[in-house]
């Protein structure tokens, strides 16, 4: 059973946070092992599995990055074979950013860091602007349109993975000021 089914909520990249939390608390009470201490060993194992499922579901569905990865996994859109799905122009942009980051390792310059951050922010914001409507509308799309939306979201996810690594590296340079 997937986490959305377990919580009885529609599959969405932006589920209602209050509802997710309410389902977690409801299931926490329902499946808490202490409330089933006198049950049969089989029932205790089942309750423990459901309690673990509840915890994992909440951790995943309450965090955007985890939820994004989880939904793509559920649709078999992650894994090693997806690396070749990124557009070459994006890979070139990332390579250029990484080269500039390497240059900063050898020759730190606050002005170059600021310029690099501005370029990164432009790429990041363009990606978010392009994909956010697809993420927001996904839940309400007809089933026939969901596959193509998921393909677009997969590219978004892969790009984000690259960009988040660059963002972390940029943050270390920004801390040098």
């Amino acid at each position: 059973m997937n986490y959305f089914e377990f919580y009885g909520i529609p599959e969405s990249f932006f589920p209602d946070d209050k509802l997710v939390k309410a389902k977690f608390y409801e299931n926490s009470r329902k499946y808490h092992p202490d409330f089933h201490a006198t049950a049969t060993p089989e029932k205790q194992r089942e309750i423990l599995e459901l309690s673990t499922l509840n915890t994992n579901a909440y951790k995943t569905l309450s965090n955007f990055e985890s939820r994004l990865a989880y939904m793509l996994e559920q649709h078999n859109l992650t894994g090693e074979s997806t690396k070749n799905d990124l557009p070459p122009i994006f890979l070139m942009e990332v390579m250029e950013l990484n080269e500039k980051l390497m240059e900063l390792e050898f020759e730190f310059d606050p002005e170059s860091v600021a310029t690099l951050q501005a370029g990164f922010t432009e790429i990041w914001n363009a990606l978010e602007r392009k994909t956010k409507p697809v993420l927001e509308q996904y839940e309400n799309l007809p089933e026939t349109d969901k596959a193509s939306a998921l393909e677009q979201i997969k590219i978004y996810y892969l790009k984000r993975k690259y960009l988040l690594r660059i963002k972390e590296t940029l943050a270390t340079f920004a801390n040098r000021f």
Side-chain angles (χ1 to χ4, degrees), residues 134 138 141 143-154:
V134 179
Y138 177 80
L141 289 174
E143 288 302 315
T144 54
D145 295 342
K146 286 189 175 183
S148 64
L150 284 168
E151 282 297 322
Q152 188 176 349
I153 293 165
K154 174 183 73 171

Side-chain angles (χ1 to χ4, degrees), residues 27-95:
N27 287 337
S28 292
R29 288 186 295 278
K30 189 174 173 182
Y31 301 124
H32 197 285
D34 290 349
F35 297 137
H36 301 275
T38 60
T40 66
E42 293 82 23
K43 183 67 174 177
Q44 287 180 358
R45 269 192 301 281
E46 178 188 341
I47 293 298
L48 186 58
E49 287 174 11
L50 289 169
S51 178
T52 301
L53 177 63
N54 185 45
T55 299
N56 291 339
Y58 181 71
K59 284 180 182 177
T60 301
L61 297 182
S62 63
N63 176 279
F64 178 74
E65 296 297 330
S66 300
R67 185 172 54 245
L68 178 62
Y70 175 76
M71 287 179 67
L72 291 172
E73 283 173 22
Q74 291 299 298
H75 293 278
N76 299 314
L77 293 171
T78 58
E80 287 300 310
S81 63
T82 61
K83 287 184 179 177
N84 296 328
D85 293 344
L86 286 170
I89 194 159
F90 173 78
L91 294 173
M92 292 298 291
E93 287 177 325
V94 168
M95 190 171 75

Side-chain angles (χ1 to χ4, degrees), residues 102-113:
M102 282 191 292
E103 289 171 10
L104 286 172
E105 283 288 336
F106 297 107
E107 195 174 316
F108 181 75
D109 173 31
E111 230 175 86
S112 295
V113 173

